[in-house]
Amino acid sequence: MFLGRIRRTPSSPVELVARRTAGELVSLADLGPDLGSDPVAALDSYGLDRLTDLVADRDGPTLDEDAVLFEPPVATCTKICCLALNYQEHADESGLEVPPEPVLFFKPPSALVGHNHPVLAPARTRHLEHEVELAVVIGKVTRDLPAERWREAVAGYTVINDMTARDLQLANIARNVPWDQSKGFDTFAPAGPYLATVDEVPDPQALELTLEVDGEVRQRANTRQMVFGLPRLIADLSDGMTLMPGDLIATGTIAGIAPLEDGDTMRATVEGIGTLVNTVKFRSA
C-alpha cells in the first residue's frame, strides 16, 4: 500500500490518501482528526492488514494525483537521521575513505518538502547538488533494538533527496567546523511522494536508485551496494538514542553527485517505492 499526504488546494487541510492504482487516490481523511493526515499513526492504529482491507473496500470518488498538492509523507518527524559515505563509489568520487563505523548527521524536520514542490537554494550558496537516497520511515518508539529485530521499527519506506550546498559544506570541512547548515536549509529534504508500506518492499537491500536531471541520468546504483545495511544502521542509530514514529533514516547516496542550475528538474526514483520530482530555484544574491 502507498500512503500519501495531500492538499486539494493550497488552503485545504492536509488529508491522508492511499494510491489504489496508478494515479488513482482514495481519501482516508474520515479516519478522524488524529489519523486523517498521518500515515504512520493510521498504520499503528489499524494495522497493515486492516488498513489494506479498508482501502480495498472503499467506494466513492477518487482523486487524480496530478490534480493534488503533495506534502511530505510523514505528519510528525522529530529528526532526519542521515548517513554519510554509505556507498563505496560515492566515497571514491568524494576523495574520502569509507568509515569503519556509520557516520551520522542530521537534517531538521523544517527541511522537509513534498513531491512537486520547489527546492529553494538560499542566496548564500551558488553550488547545489542532488543526492538520491532510500529513506526508512520509523513506525514505533525504538531504542536499543538488536540488528536481527530491525524490521520491528519500520513502518515503510520513501524516497528522499539529500540536497546539499556543496560550496558551504566544503568550506566548513576545510575549516574543520560542522557542516550541518549546508544540509539543513528549508526545502533541502524533499521526500515522497508516498510512504510505501513494508509489504510493498520485501527486500529493501535490492532496489535500484536513479536520479535524472532534465532527462539526463546522473545517479544509478542499487541498495545492495550499501556499506552498512539496514539491520546495522537501525541497531546503531537506536543504540542509546530514541527513534520516534515518523522519524526518517536517509541511508546514504550513491555516486554521481553533480551541480544543479536554476530551473533544473530532478526525478529521484527508488524502485518499487516511487519517483520524487522537484525543481531547483536559486535566489538572487
Side-chain angles (χ1 to χ4, degrees):
M1 182 166 47
F2 296 87
L3 298 171
R5 300 175 63 247
I6 62 100
R7 296 181 191 268
R8 301 188 186 214
T9 70
S11 59
S12 298
V14 179
E15 61 186 280
L16 177 64
V17 295
R19 191 184 74 187
R20 186 181 285 164
T21 60
E24 182 187 75
L25 306 179
V26 57
S27 176
L28 300 177
D30 61 350
L31 296 183
D34 294 332
L35 303 182
S37 64
D38 190 336
V40 176
L43 284 166
D44 181 63
S45 179
Y46 282 83
L48 177 58
D49 291 342
R50 185 180 171 203
L51 192 60
T52 299
D53 290 342
L54 185 153
V55 170
D57 294 341
R58 183 146 296 203
D59 294 323
T62 60
L63 302 168
D64 187 329
E65 64 182 2
D66 292 330
V68 300
L69 305 171
F70 281 86
E71 296 295 323
V74 290
T76 59
C77 178
T78 69
K79 51 191 169 293
I80 306 168
C81 305
C82 303
L83 279 300
L85 303 174
N86 199 27
Y87 288 82
Q88 179 70 58
E89 290 185 358
H90 173 55
D92 292 344
E93 72 177 349
S94 302
L96 299 169
E97 297 287 336
V98 169
E101 304 285 336
V103 173
L104 171 68
F105 64 93
F106 294 97
K107 284 179 180 267
S110 55
L112 283 169
V113 70
H115 170 64
N116 280 335
H117 288 261
V119 169
L120 304 175
R124 68 180 68 193
T125 181
R126 309 315 300 170
H127 185 162
L128 191 64
E129 293 190 353
H130 51 74
E131 297 188 12
V132 60
E133 305 189 15
L134 169 69
V136 177
V137 182
I138 297 299
K140 70 174 188 177
V141 176
T142 300
R143 181 173 170 176
D144 300 327
L145 188 68
E148 65 271 16
R149 294 170 51 197
W150 68 274
R151 291 184 185 273
E152 296 176 18
V154 180
Y157 306 91
T158 193
V159 185
I160 196 165
N161 191 348
D162 174 16
M163 303 302 302
T164 305
R166 195 70 69 196
D167 48 356
L168 304 184
Q169 183 191 40
L170 294 177
N172 286 334
I173 290 173
R175 293 169 53 211
N176 199 30
V177 298
W179 40 263
D180 301 67
Q181 186 183 50
S182 67
K183 298 275 193 173
F185 293 111
D186 291 353
T187 75
F188 270 36
Y194 300 101
L195 182 160
T197 52
V198 293
D199 57 313
E200 299 286 352
V201 190
D203 186 359
Q205 301 286 182
L207 304 175
E208 289 291 318
L209 303 170
T210 59
L211 186 135
E212 299 179 10
V213 176
D214 292 336
E216 174 195 357
V217 176
R218 297 270 190 93
Q219 294 182 277
R220 175 173 285 155
N222 194 287
T223 57
R224 70 171 61 94
Q225 298 167 263
M226 283 185 194
V227 176
F228 303 107
L230 300 191
R232 171 68 185 277
L233 293 179
I234 291 174
D236 188 83
L237 292 174
S238 70
D239 181 7
M241 181 175 72
T242 302
L243 303 175
M244 299 297 293
D247 284 356
L248 298 176
I249 301 175
T251 57
T253 198
I254 58 180
I257 57 173
L260 293 155
E261 302 292 337
D262 185 60
D264 281 351
T265 296
M266 304 170 290
R267 294 178 60 86
T269 301
V270 179
E271 179 187 3
I273 294 175
T275 296
L276 170 68
V277 180
N278 302 93
T279 297
V280 174
K281 293 186 178 180
F282 278 88
R283 290 178 177 169
S284 300

